[in-house]
Amino acid sequence: MVRPVVAPGAASATTSRLSPKRLYGFLAAAEMVTWALLIIAMVIKYGVGPEVYVRIFGMFHGVVFIAYGLVTIFVWANERWSASRGILGLLTAIIPFATLPFERAMLRRGLLSDTWRLAPGGDAAQGPIEKIQAMALRSPRLAAAVGVVLVAAITAVLLFIGPPGGSN
């Protein structure tokens, strides 16, 4: 995939402080950290008792898990990953501590960019998913707000359905 070449220090419509590489790296690390917090809370629960930590860190992990999934889909579209690579990216969130190694593998293979391909001044959007992404990249603050609402809505629906493993 060809990316626009930008001279150091030059402004470009397609460059962003929050590039696909940085955003995906942040969420991959956050997902891994929240897994660790949840596992520590479970050890505390079954070792010394208080369940409150599982509820707190479980909710925190759940929110980051959903955000990681949404960002994976967003980056998948930007980077034009194959279906198998995108699905693998989503599946890594289920396996404790797998998101960061996956993200590092994508970096080593050059599959995470410093630019948003569909940002204003970039590639033309083709298909409904790319059109949604291009629209989000034209209004990043609105897109971030919509993303927060989407994560909250998905979290609310999942809480309504019930916690993983049923209630204790």
Side-chain angles (χ1 to χ4, degrees):
M1 163 181 2
V2 177
R3 299 280 180 206
V5 176
V6 179
S12 168
T14 58
T15 59
S16 167
R17 285 182 285 156
L18 192 56
S19 66
K21 184 188 297 186
R22 289 182 65 146
L23 179 62
Y24 198 65
F26 174 78
L27 263 297
E31 168 65 6
M32 195 173 84
V33 167
T34 62
W35 259 120
L37 292 172
L38 180 57
I39 290 169
I40 290 167
M42 290 168 52
V43 169
I44 291 170
K45 174 185 173 182
Y46 293 108
V48 293
E51 186 177 321
V52 68
Y53 300 114
V54 173
R55 290 177 191 246
I56 293 168
F57 293 129
M59 173 64 82
F60 190 50
H61 171 69
V63 167
V64 172
F65 175 90
I66 293 164
Y68 173 82
L70 292 173
V71 167
T72 298
I73 293 167
F74 203 73
V75 170
W76 176 358
N78 186 75
E79 304 300 335
R80 291 185 172 157
W81 288 346
S82 65
S84 60
R85 181 166 283 132
I87 291 167
L88 180 61
L90 292 171
L91 290 176
T92 61
I94 298 169
I95 303 163
F97 312 118
T99 55
L100 199 59
F102 177 79
E103 180 263 348
R104 298 299 171 176
M106 297 302 97
L107 274 176
R108 281 191 305 276
R109 290 180 175 91
L111 298 173
L112 287 172
S113 305
D114 289 319
T115 59
W116 291 104
R117 183 174 56 81
L118 300 169
D123 293 352
Q126 299 185 2
I129 293 173
E130 287 191 358
K131 287 180 182 179
I132 291 169
Q133 185 171 34
M135 185 172 37
L137 291 169
R138 280 192 306 270
S139 303
R141 289 183 185 181
L142 177 60
V146 169
V148 167
V149 169
L150 188 56
V151 168
I154 292 169
T155 301
V157 167
L158 292 175
L159 286 173
F160 178 76
I161 292 170
S167 59
N168 292 344

